Every structure is written in C-alpha cells, then in structure tokens.
Amino acid sequence: MTRHQPEPEPQHHPEPAAGRDPASPAEEAPRSAPAPARLPGGAAVEAEGIGLKGPRGWVFREVSVEAAPGSVVALTGASGTGRTCLLLALTGRMRLTEGEARIGGLRLRKQAAAVRRTAALAHVPGVDDLEPSLTVGEHLRERVLLQRRYGTAPLATLKAALRPPRQRRADARRVHDEALAAAGLDLATLPKGPRTAVRDLERLERLRLCVALALIGRPRLIAVDDLDLKLSAPLREEAWALLASVAASGVTVLAVCGEPPAELPGDVPLVVVDTDRATGARTAEDDPAEDAGPARQTDATDGTDETANETEKETADALAETGRA
C-alpha cells in the first residue's frame, strides 16, 4: 500500500519595499553602521588692525588678514619685521595688544587657549625644536603618545582607553601613517629608515618630519617659520609644494618666508601678508635702531649667516613675549 505524504505548503516571502534591493545585506540589519567621523576642516583666518607691542616698542601694527579655510598665508618681509611674532600671535601663543582676530570662528584675544588646541606649530626654531640625538621613529612615537594622553578631550581619552589594545595600536598606526603620507615623508628613503637620527636629516626632510608631527594632532591650522631659509630654488619649490598639498587636504597653513611664490600648485589659494608695511606703521619713537631692509629671497649662497643671525634675534624677541610657546 502506498502512503500519500502531504505536500509542503509554499513559503510566502514578504515583498521588498519599493526602491530597495531584496538581496542587499544592509537592509536585513535593523540599523546601519555609523559613518566614520570626519576630520575638521581648515580654520579661516580673519584679522583686522591687529598689533603687538613689546618691551622695545611696537613689533607690528595695523595688520589685516583674510584667508579662507584651506589657504596658505605667506607672512613675508625682511628679518626683524615681526614675522615670527605675527605667526605666534595668530596661533594663540602671543597676546595681541590691539585689534581683533578670529581663527576658525574663535576670538583670538578671548579664546586663545581654544585657538592653541586647533593650531599646531610645525617648524618654529627656538620654540618646538627637534632633539638632534633622537631618531625619526622616536619622535613619531613620542608625539603619538603625547597626543593620546594630552591632545584629546577627557571623554575621548576614556573611550580610547576602553578599546582593546589591538585596536588602540591600529588607531595609532593609522594616524601615524596618515601624517607621514600627508607630509610626503617616506621612511624607507632615509639612510637608516625610522632609526635615522634627526641630526642626519636634510633641511627639507626635517621640514617634512615637523609637518608630520604637527599633523598627528589633526589640527585645523599649522604654522611654519623660516620656510625658505637656507634652501636653494629647487628645494624652495618642493617646500611650497608640500605646504600646498597640506592646504589642499583642508588644513590652513601659515608660513613665514623671505619671498612668497607667484602661485601655488593645484590652484591652492595664496594670501600674502607683508610685514614690512606693518613695520612702517610704527610710530617714529618706537622704530627699532636698525632699519629693516627690503624683502629679498634667501638661499644657500646669499647672506645666510647674516639672515640666520637676524632670525635668531627675532625668535628671541618672540620667546621673550610668550610664556606659553
């Protein structure tokens, strides 16, 4: 005798909603994964009639700047005209005497601490000098550790501490690699790789390392002093191309130079601020004893010793004014 087994009932699948792909795995989950956090954009620089007065009189006066986020602001002029002081003032590390300025929407005279958290010094001799005896890798590891400990908000630090050790190491490696790529520093091209001592780096390689260290903190603005000092014409072009690439990524760049370029690669906005004119705004009794000469291009064969001495004197004046640099 043959037994008849009941036929299985057909399964009814719910029809997908209009405009959705039934084979998409993302639609099966009740909630999509959160999007990765976006990096903050560059900081706009707005200054109107700012000035700074030191123990020996006015360093600069009546300086006005207007630069959009992601621009390169070239602070040009002869040595001794307050270029370094203006650089430190716009990053919140020197207190203005007059005028109003906003950095990324923050009022510089009343929110200097907040400005310092968003602006990083990439290369300012006498303020953030590298340790010649340490290696490139040691500088990078030290900056990552300092950023993890002091450079983030308390809540973010707590969240990072609760992550698994493997994820923390992966995050640190990602930030490390992104900063090196943005600065164009390839450790494999160095004589001893990451074990290369800072004293053995060339001038441009040291600049790239300083920029990479500054970018580890993911600032909205970075500041570079003496960009074209002791650089030949081809190396100056590479240095400006480096700053242009950083600005193209969205970070605003302040750079002190002897002579700015006519334009930057990639159509990056360039704003030129002439400190010679700011020096001319001083009163007669506040003028320095030595008259500032005309701005000129500085390279490795044109009066570098004299220019270096003037730059050291200018940096010393800046350090005398700021106790937080």
Side-chain angles (χ1 to χ4, degrees):
M1 177 180 291
T2 305
R3 296 183 178 180
H4 297 278
Q5 297 181 354
E7 296 182 359
E9 297 182 0
Q11 297 180 358
H12 298 279
H13 298 278
E15 296 183 359
R20 294 186 179 180
D21 184 6
S24 177
E27 297 299 330
E28 299 177 0
R31 183 176 299 179
S32 59
R38 295 183 179 180
L39 296 178
V45 180
E46 302 169 308
E48 183 67 30
I50 61 174
L52 187 146
K53 189 174 185 179
R56 293 184 291 179
W58 287 99
V59 182
F60 59 84
R61 295 190 76 177
E62 299 181 9
V63 175
S64 297
V65 186
E66 186 174 355
S71 302
V72 175
V73 182
L75 308 179
T76 182
S79 296
T81 57
R83 301 176 306 173
T84 301
C85 294
L86 179 58
L87 183 80
L88 294 174
L90 291 176
T91 56
R93 288 161 174 85
M94 296 188 74
R95 185 174 299 176
L96 294 174
T97 307
E98 64 179 10
E100 294 292 338
R102 289 180 179 270
I103 307 298
L106 300 172
R107 300 181 62 182
L108 186 56
R109 301 186 69 177
K110 293 188 177 182
Q111 297 174 288
V115 172
R116 289 195 295 272
R117 287 193 293 267
T118 63
L121 300 182
H123 177 263
V124 182
V127 178
D128 65 340
D129 295 311
L130 301 175
E131 177 57 46
S133 61
L134 294 181
T135 66
V136 174
E138 289 170 341
H139 275 93
L140 292 169
R141 288 192 297 271
E142 177 189 51
R143 184 61 61 91
V144 170
L145 292 174
L146 290 175
Q147 177 64 26
R148 184 191 305 171
R149 178 63 181 86
Y150 300 104
T152 57
L155 182 58
T157 303
L158 178 59
K159 290 182 178 179
L162 296 177
R163 296 173 184 168
R166 180 178 298 180
Q167 184 176 355
R168 292 201 301 267
R169 290 192 295 268
D171 292 342
R173 170 58 61 180
R174 176 176 52 81
V175 173
H176 170 277
D177 293 343
E178 288 177 354
L180 288 178
L185 181 61
D186 186 1
L187 299 182
T189 61
L190 300 180
K192 297 181 181 179
R195 297 183 178 181
T196 305
V198 169
R199 67 167 63 96
D200 297 329
L201 295 178
E202 299 293 338
R203 177 76 169 81
L204 190 58
E205 293 173 341
R206 184 173 300 197
L207 174 63
R208 292 186 185 277
L209 175 58
C210 291
V211 171
L213 293 174
L215 292 177
I216 286 178
R218 301 193 175 187
R220 301 179 61 190
L221 181 147
I222 66 171
V224 181
D225 194 13
D226 294 334
L227 176 67
D228 52 4
L229 181 64
K230 298 183 180 180
L231 289 182
S232 60
L235 292 181
R236 282 198 296 271
E237 293 183 4
E238 290 189 40
W240 283 111
L242 166 61
L243 298 190
S245 65
V246 173
S249 66
V251 180
T252 306
V253 180
L254 301 179
V256 169
C257 61
E259 183 173 338
E263 60 181 2
L264 294 174
D267 295 331
V268 174
L270 175 64
V271 178
V272 179
V273 179
D274 191 350
T275 55
D276 287 335
R277 298 179 181 178
T279 306
R282 301 171 181 171
T283 57
E285 60 271 16
D286 287 336
D287 279 341
E290 298 180 2
D291 294 335
R296 60 186 178 88
Q297 186 173 333
T298 304
D299 55 29
T301 60
D302 184 18
T304 55
D305 294 337
E306 181 180 356
T307 304
N309 292 335
E310 293 176 351
T311 303
E312 292 177 359
K313 185 184 300 182
E314 180 181 353
T315 305
D317 292 342
L319 290 176
E321 277 297 307
T322 175
R324 301 183 300 271

